[in-house]
Structures are given as C-alpha cells and as structure tokens.
Amino acid sequence: MGSLFRSEEMALCQLFLQSEAAYACVSELGELGLVQFRDLNPDVNAFQRKFVNEVRRCDEMERKLRYLEKEIKKDGIPMLDTGESPEAPQPREMIDLEATFEKLENELREVNQNAEALKRNFLELTELKHILRKTQVFFDEQEGGVNQTTESMTRALITDEARTAGASMGPVQLGYMEKSNEREDYLPCFVAGVILRERLPAFERMLWRACRGNVFLRQAMIETPLEDPTNGDQVHKSVFIIFFQGDQLKTRVKKICEGFRATLYPCPEAPADRREMAMGVMTRIEDLNTVLGQTQDHRHRVLVAAAKNLKNWFVKVRKIKAIYHTLNLFNLDVTQKCLIAECWVPLLDIETIQLALRRGTERSGSSVPPILNRMQTFENPPTYNRTNKFTKAFQALIDAYGVASYREMNPAPYTIITFPFLFAVMFGDLGHGAIMALFGLWMIRKEKGLAAQKTDNEIWNIFFGGRYIIFLMGVFSMYTGMIYNDIFSKSLNIFGSHWQMSYNKSTVMENKYLQLSPKEDYEGSPYPFGMDPIWQVAGSNKIIFHNAYKMKISIIFGVIHMVFGVVMSWHNHTYFRNRISLIYEFIPQLMFLLLLFFYMVLLMFIKWIKFAATNEKPYSEACAPSILITFIDMVLFNTPKPAPSGCGVYMFWGQHFVQVLFVLLALGCIPIMLFAKPMLIMQARKLANVQPIAGASSDAETGGVSNGGPHGGGGPHEEEEEMSEIFIHQSIHTIEYVLGSVSHTASYLRLWALSLAHAQLAEVLWTMVLSIGLKQEGWFGGVILTCVFGFWAILTVGILVLMEGLSAFLHTLRLHWVEFQSKFYKGQGYAFQPFSFDAIIENGSAAVEE
C-alpha cells in the first residue's frame, strides 16, 4: 500500500560531509525538510560543542531583533511580511548582520536615552510651571505672603488628641517656639514641590505628626495628568507649599519629602522674580517641545526602516542558528576535516536528498562530494505519514491518540469518511449542517488570507486548522438531515406524503389518540428519499418511531465499524508476517464478533423484511419479536416465551439451532484467544532452546515488527519477554476484547441518544421561541418576529451548532479512539521530526508572538 495507508519506509543513513561544505549542505537539507538527524554527542555538554560560539552569536542577534520588534510594536508600526522565506545566509554574512543589528540597537538606545532625558527635563519644567502658578495664588490670598505672618505669629499649640486623630491641617498662623523658658525668634521660610496625588494624605499626616503641628501646608491638584518619562504612564500629581520656622524643621521637612519621593523646586519669594522665572520656564518648554518632536521623528524613521526587513532578518538568523545547532549533533573525524552524521530519511526520498547535498556542495565550492550510506539497524524507525492541507487535520486526530507504530495501518484515510459520517448521525439536521458547512467553506475559500494573519488566538487556530473537518461534518449532517427529513425541527414535503387520511382532517388533527392505519391510509410504496414528512405531525407517536429507528441504525453502524476495525488487524498481521497472531487472534476475534453481534444485526434486517403492519399472521406487526429479548435468550440459552395466537416463536426455520451453535462457537473462541498464542511461543522457545531475557516485545518473537526483515527495520532477535508476562499480557488482551465487544456495541448507542437529544432541543427552540413570533399579526407582529428571530438565531448557533456540535465531535472522537482503533491500532511509535526550516520558523514566530 502507499504511504497514505501506512507510514513511509524509513532508512538509517550515515552522512559524510567535508567541513567547508557542511554548512551549505545542511542548509539545503533544512529547505528540503526530509531528514531527521540523530545526536552523536549525547554525553557532550551543550557548552562544549564545536559550534557553540556561533549559536551564542545567533542568540545575541535574536535578542537584538526582539528588542527592535518590541520598540516597533510599541509605536504601532506595521511590519512588512511578504510571505517569502529568504535562503540561509553564508557564514561570512553573519558579520554584516551583526554589524547592522549592533548599529540599529545602539542608535535606537541612544535615541531612547536622549528622548527619556528630554522628557524628564520637560516634566521638571512642567511641574515648575504649575508650582509657580499655584504658589502665586497661595501668596495672593495672604496679601503679602510670609512676611506678614511674622508680624502676627501666635502660639499654636495643637493638643495631642488632635494630632493623634490626624486632623486635617487648616491655615494656622505659626508662633514662637519656647525653649527652656527662653524666647527665641525664628525667621519663617517655605519649600514648594510636587507629589503623587495618592501619596498626599499620608504625606500630610506624617508632616503633622513629625513637626508637631508647627507647619503650614497648602496643596492644589494639577488638573492635567503628566507623563512618566521612565515608562510612559500617565500620573496625577499635586502641588504643595509648606511654611515653617527654623533650620531644624527645615531639615525634618526635607527628609519627609525625600521619603515620600516628592520633588522640591526653587520658588522665589518676590512676585517679580516668580513672574520672570515663569516666563523663562515657558520659553524653555517651547524649545523642548521642538527638540522632542525632532527626536521622535528620527526614532520613527529608524523604526520604519527596520520594520521593512525585520521579518526577513528573523528568518535568516533562525536559519543560521538551526544550521549550527544541527552541526553540533555531528561528529568530527580524526583529521578534523570531515563531519559525520547519522539520520533517518524516507526511502523514497533518498535521491532527492542526494540532489540537495550536491547543490550544497556546489554552493560551497567544495571539490569533495558528500557520501550518504544506508546502515543496517535493529532500532524502530520513526513514523512518517505524508499529509497535505486536507489530510493534515485528520492525521492530527489520530496522532493525538498515539503515533502509529512503524508501518502500522494508518486509520486516517478511513477516518476521513467515518468521522464526519458518525458525527452526522448524531447531528443530523439540514439547517444546522448547512450553517456548519458554510462556515467551513468560508474558511477554505479564504484560507490564504486567514493563514497569513498568524493570530495567536488558540480557539480560532483550532477552528481554522480543522476547516476541512468542519466542512465535511456539515455536508454529511446535511445528508443525514435529509434522511431524517429534519430542518430546524421541521420537515420538507418535496415528493408529497405517501399517507392518505381516510378520516376527516380536523378530526385526526384534534384527536391525539387517533392514529392512521397502515393498511388503509398507506399507499404501499415508501417515500422516495428519507422519512415521510407525515411523521412531523405524528404527535407522541413520532418520538416512538424515531426512537426505534435510530436505536437500530446505531447498532448497525457500530457493529460494521468494529468489524472493519478487526479486518484492519488482518492487514497488520499479513504485512508483518505474524502468522500466529493472524490465526490465533484475528480469526477468533472476527468469529466472536460476527457470531454474536453481526448476527444481531442480521436479525434486525430479517425483522424489517419479513414483518410488516400490512402482513397477515404469523408475519404481522403484532407477531414481530423483540430483538433485544431474542439476543438475551440466545446468550443465556433460554427457551423463548410462547408467542401470541397465530404467531411464530422464531423468525426463520432452525433459528434455535443456529443461535445455540453460534453461541457455542463464540465461547470456543475465547480459550483460543487466551491460550493458543502463549503456548505456541513457549513451545517455540523450547525447540529453539532460547533463554528468556526480560524486557522485550512479544510481537518480535512471533514475527511482529521486523525492522530488518523484508519490510524494513531491525531484526527478529530482540530481547524477549518472560513467559509469565506474555500470559498476563494475553489474558488482559483477551478479557478486554471479549468484554469490550459488549461495552463497545452498547457505546454506539450514543449515536441514537445524541441524535434524539439534538432533534428535541431543536423542536423546543422552535416551539417555545420562534413560534411565539410567528403567531403575532400586524406591524407590531413584524417587530416582535424580528426580535424573536434574532434571539432564536443566537440560541440556534450558540447551543445547537456550537455546543451540540462540540458534544457530537467529542463523542465521535471517542468512538474512533476506543471502539474502532482499539481493534487494530497500537499507537506505540514516535513521530518523524525532520530538520525543516519551515517548522522551525513557524514555531519561532509563535514563541515570539506569545
């Protein structure tokens, strides 16, 4: 089979590269993305490898580019992204790149430092401007300022209780201070400054308590917020002026201001000096505004020029770093002139890889061609499944359960059909499926533009990555919706109902207990496609009919799905030439499933074919036996209960004998699955006289994955398991399969349950929401209908499409992972992770955006 159904055949190769050609050759392999290198220096510290200095230089360049990117984003400058991926630069070009980045970083840092200094100066002048304005108001209020306060100073003794309460300081007059009963005059003075507004109450209390109320504080808010030059935040500040007497209080006040990070500014006492200083401050502010504008323009020009090339620079640096990181995985030969590497490569791409190596050699100008030798190994190769944009999402669903073992059957191609189909069985509605399909189709049509946006919204990335799954789920849901004849809980009467009313129509519609007779009211031929629309108005009988129909098709689809999974194990056993597993596992498993559960499916079809409401006894509807009771009696060997008069006990002749035979054969398969394989392994060991070694895989001894055999990989002489472990493993596997066949069959009933729940929710929304608007009349009814329809549409999309769709998706995922894949899929491999520039750049871009 092709790689779509199995992973690619892989080969372990040894690569010899001349030192001067190694960089160019690895660059070509990175563009190709088909080689997974192995680390040949696992015991060597990362800081002791040959190209560690080059990697550090790349890290430093990345740091500078991230700094530039941060500054560009801060200014909101768009970065040019052409979508092209430039080639990896030559090693000699690293010096030019380093010089360019160094120059840009230094220039930008210098501009930022100058701009910060200018902004700090501008802030100081702005604060001084507000101080001069506010203090002028303070002085004007006192008609002469501080000099008059010395004339009218009185003793200001504030009680301890008032100080403890932290009373707000009002305009008090400062008095003389008494020391040792001696009168001493102090010249009154003041300080002015600004402080953050949120610190002002604490600042005021501290001044009051520390100075014992012998200070006079006035403050006023600065209306416009000021810009902090350090981080660019807007801060709110207030102007204050403090009057006090004496050097001791002056020292204390300044220390308190320093502790609260208040900024003090000089403020002349004379009004003329204050006016002159204010004029000088305004002139300097105007000059600073001009210089700041020029500085910002220069900074903007530097960032715009850098933004044009930033994406390409990131790509180049990451490619250089990836190349040197890969070269660190190589070994040096004795002569120090040749690099030796080991790598996994797809067998079909060896010629393509050799061509890439030749191109790299020609680019480097080397005269010695590279050598690529295939090696023999007993190791399990990595699993590599080729995907495209359509199959990638389905393969991701499979790999989320576990990466396939090497050359194991790949469930992804079959999942492309079975996954959306089982989803649609639960989600079947023509209207809801159309909404989902249109959303998926929109993402497919716009995928180039949407992919170029590279958003870091995780939910959107999940939707966009699964756009083809969403589209197929919507299309299949439209199909099952037509089968159910269900569109927003209503039916489409395209071909006309095949039921005719023999009663008066009003009588039938008003009497909920009156039913149509299949003998008299049915035409005899079924509706051409899907369900007859008459079931939409069937009342309580509708859910009974849908219940029986959907329950049976759920079991039918489930058994077919599981049988298909068991058949997939046959492909694995034959491919790996595992004859013991083929005979003593596959055949008993298939017989067990067919003799019990597939037989139950056949009984359903026999019941549908032989029994009908229009038939006479013993094949009338009243004589139809219950499939569930029949299956239980079959497994327990019970004798069926007597049938009603004129009806038969069995569906066909010899049914009892067939059922007993099938159950006995199915029970006989269990000991074969349990003991046959371990006993044959033990017998083979005795004949070969092999001593067991702990820790191996039983598949290897029984002809399992033979990596060195005809299908690629290592050899059959791997380590062997203890016999006790083989018996335990086989017992667990057998018990899991036997019990799982019962539980897995019942698990498929979720198809029936979710389908009924989805249909009932849609009917509830129609009946309790939209029908209210449809019953209104007149222009007012039109307004009501518009509002009700909007509410109904929101609930439909939010609950029935999104929430119910997510629920059906998760249940479908479980049916594939557990019920289907457990029959043949081990998922014990490890993914092929080639050295690819595309993957490295994509992951690097996501990391930077985060």
Side-chain angles (χ1 to χ4, degrees):
M1 294 187 201
S3 62
L4 183 65
F5 300 96
R6 292 189 188 277
S7 61
E8 289 278 354
E9 289 192 54
M10 306 297 291
L12 182 62
C13 296
Q14 195 172 34
L15 179 61
F16 296 89
L17 297 172
Q18 198 174 7
S19 296
E20 59 266 21
Y23 182 93
C25 290
V26 172
S27 173
E28 289 291 336
L29 294 178
E31 298 288 353
L32 199 60
L34 290 172
V35 178
Q36 177 178 327
F37 291 100
R38 302 173 63 187
D39 190 359
L40 300 183
N41 309 297
D43 301 326
V44 179
N45 190 289
F47 301 102
Q48 297 175 344
R49 304 204 177 195
K50 180 176 176 58
F51 300 99
V52 65
N53 291 329
E54 285 78 2
V55 174
R56 284 175 175 171
R57 290 166 63 189
C58 293
D59 286 335
E60 181 64 17
M61 286 192 288
E62 270 196 306
R63 182 195 62 77
K64 293 174 181 176
L65 289 176
R66 285 194 297 270
Y67 171 72
L68 290 174
E69 185 181 39
K70 183 183 72 173
E71 296 296 321
I72 289 171
K73 287 183 176 179
K74 187 188 296 183
D75 281 21
I77 300 173
M79 289 178 285
L80 181 64
D81 187 5
T82 60
E84 299 177 356
S85 179
E87 293 185 355
Q90 294 299 319
R92 59 180 176 270
E93 296 181 29
M94 280 184 66
I95 301 174
D96 297 335
L97 288 175
E98 286 176 316
T100 302
F101 301 158
E102 183 74 20
K103 178 183 176 183
L104 279 173
E105 185 191 26
N106 292 338
E107 185 177 3
L108 193 57
R109 287 190 184 278
E110 184 180 356
V111 171
N112 287 342
Q113 289 173 0
N114 293 337
E116 185 177 346
L118 290 171
K119 287 181 179 178
R120 187 176 291 108
N121 196 1
F122 180 79
L123 176 65
E124 292 173 355
L125 291 174
T126 305
E127 291 176 347
L128 181 56
K129 177 187 71 173
H130 286 289
I131 285 175
L132 294 174
R133 288 180 179 176
K134 301 295 183 182
T135 53
Q136 183 63 39
V137 176
F138 297 156
F139 286 119
D140 290 343
E141 289 176 354
Q142 292 198 359
E143 299 176 356
V146 179
N147 291 330
Q148 288 187 1
T149 62
T150 58
E151 301 287 337
S152 60
M153 288 182 182
T154 59
R155 294 186 178 181
L157 299 176
I158 308 300
T159 62
D160 293 336
E161 290 81 0
R163 289 198 296 269
T164 305
S168 177
M169 289 188 297
V172 298
Q173 292 181 327
L174 299 178
Y176 294 105
M177 305 288 295
E178 291 188 10
K179 278 190 174 182
S180 302
N181 297 324
E182 295 181 0
R183 182 174 174 137
E184 183 177 344
D185 294 334
Y186 293 92
L187 292 177
C189 55
F190 66 91
V191 293
V194 294
I195 190 172
L196 289 174
R197 195 175 297 172
E198 59 268 19
R199 296 178 183 172
L200 190 59
F203 177 68
E204 186 175 353
R205 285 194 298 272
M206 179 59 71
L207 280 173
W208 182 272
R209 292 169 181 170
C211 300
R212 300 180 182 273
N214 291 289
V215 293
F216 176 41
L217 172 70
R218 292 293 303 273
Q219 58 89 13
M221 292 187 297
I222 300 176
E223 293 79 8
T224 57
L226 305 176
E227 182 182 352
D228 189 342
T230 307
N231 50 30
D233 295 340
Q234 299 292 320
V235 293
H236 296 273
K237 293 188 176 183
S238 294
V239 172
F240 67 86
I241 183 169
I242 305 172
F243 296 93
F244 51 85
Q245 290 178 326
D247 293 337
Q248 186 177 2
L249 280 181
K250 180 178 181 181
T251 304
R252 196 175 297 176
V253 167
K254 287 188 174 181
K255 285 184 178 180
I256 294 173
C257 292
E258 183 180 353
F260 280 86
R261 296 183 182 180
T263 309
L264 300 180
Y265 291 94
C267 183
E269 296 183 12
D273 294 341
R274 287 197 295 272
R275 284 193 294 271
E276 183 180 354
M277 178 180 283
M279 293 176 61
V281 167
M282 293 301 297
T283 305
R284 291 176 61 188
I285 287 176
E286 292 177 0
D287 296 340
L288 268 180
N289 274 325
T290 304
V291 177
L292 265 174
Q294 294 174 351
T295 304
Q296 293 296 336
D297 290 343
H298 176 65
R299 181 177 183 272
H300 185 77
R301 286 194 298 271
V302 172
L303 292 177
V304 168
K308 294 178 181 178
N309 301 309
L310 190 67
K311 293 289 185 181
N312 286 343
W313 285 339
F314 263 122
V315 172
K316 289 180 179 181
V317 171
R318 284 177 183 144
K319 285 187 176 182
I320 298 171
K321 183 180 177 181
I323 292 171
Y324 282 117
H325 178 74
T326 304
L327 290 175
N328 277 333
L329 305 177
F330 295 5
N331 258 342
L332 276 171
D333 71 337
V334 181
T335 62
Q336 302 285 318
K337 294 183 179 180
C338 180
L339 290 170
I340 305 170
E342 291 182 5
C343 53
W344 291 105
V345 299
L347 200 60
L348 295 176
D349 295 316
I350 287 183
E351 291 185 6
T352 307
I353 293 168
Q354 288 174 338
L355 288 174
L357 291 172
R358 290 196 198 103
R359 287 197 302 270
T361 307
E362 292 172 0
R363 280 178 54 192
S364 64
S366 175
S367 58
V368 180
I371 301 172
L372 186 67
N373 291 331
R374 187 176 176 185
M375 303 169 61
Q376 293 295 325
T377 180
F378 296 112
E379 296 183 26
N380 283 326
T383 300
Y384 175 43
N385 293 296
R386 294 185 192 270
T387 57
N388 52 38
K389 62 182 181 180
F390 176 70
T391 60
K392 184 179 180 180
F394 292 97
Q395 189 65 55
L397 290 179
I398 304 302
D399 292 342
Y401 174 80
V403 179
S405 303
Y406 178 64
R407 299 295 288 165
E408 186 179 23
M409 283 295 296
N410 183 19
Y414 313 104
T415 304
I416 295 174
I417 299 300
T418 59
F419 191 92
F421 177 74
L422 292 182
F423 172 87
V425 173
M426 294 181 276
F427 195 74
D429 188 289
L430 182 60
H432 302 154
I435 294 173
M436 186 173 289
L438 288 174
F439 176 60
L441 183 62
W442 173 77
M443 288 191 291
I444 292 171
R445 293 292 302 273
K446 303 288 186 180
E447 63 181 9
K448 289 185 178 180
L450 295 174
Q453 293 179 2
K454 295 180 180 178
T455 177
D456 56 351
N457 189 316
E458 188 175 354
I459 295 177
W460 167 254
N461 289 334
I462 292 173
F463 276 114
F464 183 70
R467 57 193 178 279
Y468 289 98
I469 299 179
I470 293 174
F471 174 70
L472 286 180
M473 289 192 305
V475 171
F476 276 73
S477 297
M478 292 173 66
Y479 168 75
T480 54
M482 289 188 291
I483 294 294
Y484 298 155
N485 202 351
D486 199 355
I487 172 170
F488 299 119
S489 78
K490 296 300 175 183
S491 296
L492 297 175
N493 191 2
I494 300 175
F495 304 103
S497 175
H498 285 215
W499 290 75
Q500 303 295 330
M501 293 187 186
S502 57
Y503 303 97
N504 182 276
K505 184 176 180 181
S506 61
T507 304
V508 175
M509 299 300 292
E510 293 174 1
N511 193 333
K512 63 179 180 179
Y513 298 105
L514 190 61
Q515 298 181 359
L516 300 181
S517 172
K519 292 183 178 180
E520 301 176 1
D521 302 314
Y522 182 55
E523 293 182 358
S525 59
Y527 194 70
F529 187 82
M531 287 190 180
D532 196 299
I534 195 67
W535 288 106
Q536 182 63 37
V537 295
S540 60
N541 200 28
K542 171 188 174 182
I543 192 170
I544 297 174
F545 171 73
H546 284 168
N547 186 49
Y549 168 73
K550 292 182 178 180
M551 183 188 294
K552 289 182 175 63
I553 64 170
S554 298
I555 296 297
I556 292 170
F557 292 147
V559 172
I560 293 174
H561 201 209
M562 290 191 295
V563 170
F564 181 63
V566 175
V567 173
M568 288 296 99
S569 68
W570 172 77
H571 288 285
N572 279 334
H573 298 324
T574 54
Y575 180 83
F576 294 119
R577 300 182 181 178
N578 194 342
R579 187 170 175 270
I580 295 178
S581 295
L582 178 64
I583 298 175
Y584 299 104
E585 279 189 354
F586 164 71
I587 293 178
Q589 287 177 356
L590 186 62
M591 287 183 62
F592 183 84
L593 201 59
L594 292 177
L595 293 175
L596 293 181
F597 301 100
F598 192 75
Y599 172 72
M600 180 174 61
V601 171
L602 291 179
L603 290 180
M604 295 178 188
F605 282 98
I606 292 173
K607 181 177 178 179
W608 282 341
I609 293 172
K610 296 189 67 174
F611 296 89
T614 56
N615 292 350
E616 300 295 334
K617 292 184 178 181
Y619 299 115
S620 66
E621 181 184 13
C623 296
S626 169
I627 300 296
L628 180 60
I629 300 301
T630 302
F631 185 74
I632 293 174
D633 290 339
M634 167 186 169
V635 174
L636 298 179
F637 298 102
N638 290 340
T639 302
K641 295 180 180 180
S645 176
C647 298
V649 177
Y650 298 105
M651 296 186 187
F652 58 90
W653 181 84
Q655 180 179 351
H656 181 70
F657 172 76
V658 170
Q659 290 181 168
V660 171
L661 179 64
F662 281 4
V663 174
L664 292 176
L665 289 175
L667 293 176
C669 292
I670 297 176
I672 297 175
M673 289 187 285
L674 186 60
F675 298 111
K677 183 176 176 179
M679 296 297 291
L680 288 173
I681 294 174
M682 185 168 61
Q683 183 181 1
R685 284 186 176 180
K686 288 180 180 179
L687 293 175
N689 197 20
V690 176
Q691 294 298 326
I693 304 174
S697 140
S698 59
D699 285 336
E701 327 174 23
T702 57
V705 180
S706 175
N707 296 335
H711 301 298
H717 304 293
E718 296 192 7
E719 297 180 2
E720 301 167 353
E721 272 185 305
E722 294 283 357
M723 282 306 305
S724 59
E725 294 186 8
I726 293 177
F727 272 103
I728 293 172
H729 177 270
Q730 193 67 23
S731 301
I732 294 172
H733 184 71
T734 303
I735 294 171
E736 180 187 9
Y737 181 81
V738 173
L739 298 181
S741 298
V742 181
S743 63
H744 291 175
T745 303
S747 180
Y748 278 93
L749 289 174
R750 69 185 69 234
L751 299 174
W752 153 64
L754 266 75
S755 177
L756 282 181
H758 186 80
Q760 289 302 307
L761 278 174
E763 188 170 355
V764 166
L765 278 185
W766 183 282
T767 304
M768 302 187 68
V769 179
L770 190 60
S771 62
I772 297 175
L774 294 173
K775 293 176 183 177
Q776 306 298 322
E777 297 180 356
W779 66 269
F780 182 72
V783 175
I784 295 295
L785 179 59
T786 303
C787 299
V788 169
F789 177 80
F791 183 59
W792 173 82
I794 292 172
L795 293 179
T796 298
V797 175
I799 297 177
L800 294 180
V801 177
L802 289 178
M803 293 179 61
E804 282 284 305
L806 178 60
S807 175
F809 178 88
L810 294 176
H811 283 286
T812 309
L813 195 61
R814 182 241 152 80
L815 290 177
H816 279 79
W817 280 359
V818 179
E819 279 72 22
F820 174 59
Q821 292 177 194
S822 63
K823 303 294 185 295
F824 69 98
Y825 187 72
K826 294 183 178 178
Q828 296 176 348
Y830 63 99
F832 176 61
Q833 296 177 333
F835 171 60
S836 170
F837 284 148
D838 291 339
I840 291 169
I841 292 168
E842 183 179 354
N843 294 335
S845 300
V848 168
E849 288 174 4
E850 290 176 3

